[in-house]
Amino acid sequence: MAILIDKLILFLCCMLPLYQHTPVTTLFHVLAALTAIIFICLCSLCNLDGMPFHKLPKAARGSLLGLWGILAGISICSPVFGFLLPLLFYELAFASRNYIYFAACLLPFFSLREEPAFYPQIELLLFVLAFLLSYKTKKLIGLEQNLHLLRDTSTENALLLQQKNKDLIERQNQEIHIATLRERNRIAREIHDNVGHMLSRSILQAGALSALNQQENLKIPLNDLSATLLAAMTSVRESVHNLHDDSIDLKAAICDLSSNFSDYHIHFTYDMGNFVPAPVKYCFISITKEALSNIVRHSNGTDITITLREHPSLYQLIIKDNGTNIVQNSDGMGIANMQERVKHLNGNFSTSTENGFQIFASVPHT
């Protein structure tokens, strides 16, 4: 669009000295105007994107050279067409990377050699205008291309960062899951090696006593004892299966994380019920771990406040420090990772920079 506007401006500027030269409209005026319009349209068709001449396909370069040569030739043959030379100069200045096209400044003197001297001078002034317009438009197109490239790069980086955050969350979830499985397996082994073996032995002993018993009055108590032991064994097995989600103590996990930051004054408040869903536990533990790591790396604060509270409709986590380098503390992949975790649970995540840096996360009850 900018190129067409430039050419329209030059077209009007070319028509002014032409009509000043011959005020009465003649066939040559009409032919000159049609020639200029055709020249503008064909040149634009050969280079729709406004690319430099050396980047155009071979066929487009050949077509442009032919158009330029035709206009230069007819301008020398007829001075009427010489007034259209600024359009040619614009094409040359826009397409070329060097200043050889300044040789075209001699064309007005050949084309308008029989006209008064001020006509070639007017054409040279229009050449200057064409050069300035071409320079401005090339800069504008370059800036637009850089903007598009920057936008595409920014979009690509955002998608890449989102994928990395997703991978990081999945990796952290996997690590927590593995830790949970290890704890469950440890407890399961303890139950199997101790309680399970004793219950199994008791069941066998009760069965043996029932088989050896000859007294009618002991059969019912022995059968009840066997049933009780079997029920206990079933209950133990069910408990082992439930250890997957119940083996993590959120309060103990946060306290364990806080104990690794002995150089800070940590104020921990825990106000939650006995049951907290496993996804919420994983989310809050990961956010706390990431937040404490960010404080160590980026913040110059000395006091940290961690608040875990359960409301009637949501679980809430607030982490705050008294650091002053807020900008550094609030940037980076860690914040995006926390936000992605809370978003995955349909929660809300926000940060604040009033009197230090604060992280606020809330997850609704499921």
Side-chain angles (χ1 to χ4, degrees):
M1 181 60 69
I3 297 176
L4 292 177
I5 293 175
D6 292 346
K7 292 180 179 179
L8 178 60
I9 293 173
L10 287 175
F11 172 77
L12 296 176
C13 292
C14 291
M15 292 296 103
L16 290 177
L18 175 60
Y19 278 95
Q20 182 182 2
H21 176 267
T22 309
V24 180
T25 303
T26 63
L27 179 62
F28 284 102
H29 291 82
V30 177
L31 290 177
L34 290 177
T35 301
I37 294 173
I38 294 173
F39 179 81
I40 291 173
C41 293
L42 291 179
C43 289
S44 299
L45 183 63
C46 294
N47 191 5
L48 292 174
D49 298 327
M51 298 175 59
F53 183 80
H54 67 284
K55 293 185 178 180
L56 291 173
K58 187 175 181 180
R61 294 201 301 267
S63 300
L64 284 175
L65 289 175
L67 291 170
W68 298 345
I70 290 173
L71 183 58
I74 62 176
S75 68
I76 295 176
C77 296
S78 174
V80 174
F81 296 97
F83 292 98
L84 306 180
L85 288 174
L87 295 173
L88 173 61
F89 189 84
Y90 178 86
E91 295 290 341
L92 294 173
F94 188 88
S96 179
R97 291 185 300 174
N98 49 50
Y99 295 94
I100 298 177
Y101 56 83
F102 277 114
C105 295
L106 299 176
L107 287 174
F109 296 98
F110 288 103
S111 177
L112 305 173
R113 56 187 178 277
E114 297 179 0
E115 305 296 330
F118 70 89
Y119 282 110
Q121 296 173 0
I122 292 175
E123 292 299 293
L124 290 179
L125 291 177
L126 293 180
F127 276 24
V128 174
L129 176 62
F131 175 80
L132 294 177
L133 290 175
S134 66
Y135 180 82
K136 177 267 298 181
T137 303
K138 283 194 291 186
K139 287 292 184 180
L140 179 62
I141 292 177
L143 291 175
E144 290 178 350
Q145 292 176 348
N146 292 336
L147 178 61
H148 293 161
L149 179 60
L150 181 62
R151 184 178 59 188
D152 294 341
T153 303
S154 177
T155 302
E156 182 180 356
N157 290 336
L159 293 175
L160 181 61
L161 179 60
Q162 184 178 3
Q163 183 62 36
K164 287 184 177 180
N165 287 338
K166 183 178 179 181
D167 295 340
L168 181 59
I169 290 173
E170 292 177 354
R171 187 160 53 249
Q172 290 180 346
N173 283 338
Q174 185 65 20
E175 291 175 356
I176 295 175
H177 180 66
I178 291 174
T180 302
L181 291 179
R182 288 175 180 175
E183 182 68 13
R184 189 199 71 172
N185 291 335
R186 185 189 67 81
I187 297 175
R189 284 195 300 270
E190 292 291 333
I191 295 176
H192 178 270
D193 295 340
N194 296 299
V195 180
H197 284 176
M198 288 187 291
L199 286 175
S200 298
R201 186 174 61 182
S202 299
I203 291 172
L204 293 175
Q205 289 175 348
L209 289 175
S210 297
L212 296 176
N213 178 53
Q214 300 297 328
Q215 301 180 20
E216 292 295 331
N217 60 341
L218 293 180
K219 287 184 178 181
I220 295 177
L222 289 175
N223 290 335
D224 293 339
L225 177 60
S226 297
T228 301
L229 292 174
L230 288 173
M233 178 61 76
T234 302
S235 178
V236 168
R237 288 174 179 173
E238 292 177 352
S239 298
V240 170
H241 287 295
N242 293 331
L243 285 176
H244 176 71
D245 292 335
D246 297 337
S247 59
I248 296 180
D249 187 343
L250 180 59
K251 182 178 181 180
I254 301 299
C255 290
D256 184 63
L257 287 173
S258 302
S259 64
N260 297 325
F261 299 86
S262 57
D263 296 334
Y264 296 86
H265 301 288
I266 298 179
H267 310 277
F268 178 46
T269 301
Y270 185 88
D271 183 16
M272 285 192 171
N274 295 327
F275 174 76
V276 179
V280 178
K281 292 181 183 179
Y282 297 157
C283 177
F284 284 359
I285 291 173
S286 298
I287 290 177
T288 303
K289 182 178 180 180
E290 186 68 33
L292 293 176
S293 299
N294 284 346
I295 290 173
V296 172
R297 292 195 302 265
H298 303 300
S299 177
N300 59 353
T302 56
D303 292 340
I304 303 174
T305 300
I306 302 175
T307 303
L308 282 167
R309 183 170 286 112
E310 181 178 357
H311 296 277
S313 60
L314 56 87
Y315 302 99
Q316 184 184 72
L317 169 64
I318 301 175
I319 302 175
K320 183 177 181 181
D321 69 79
N322 62 341
T324 57
N325 52 343
I326 296 172
V327 175
Q328 294 180 353
N329 193 17
S330 60
D331 292 337
M333 186 180 294
I335 297 296
N337 181 25
M338 300 177 198
Q339 188 173 10
E340 191 70 21
R341 280 187 167 277
V342 176
K343 181 180 178 182
H344 184 69
L345 298 178
N346 298 320
N348 295 318
F349 181 88
S350 62
T351 60
S352 174
T353 57
E354 294 182 3
N355 300 323
F357 186 75
Q358 177 175 287
I359 292 174
F360 177 89
S362 62
V363 177
H365 286 180
T366 56

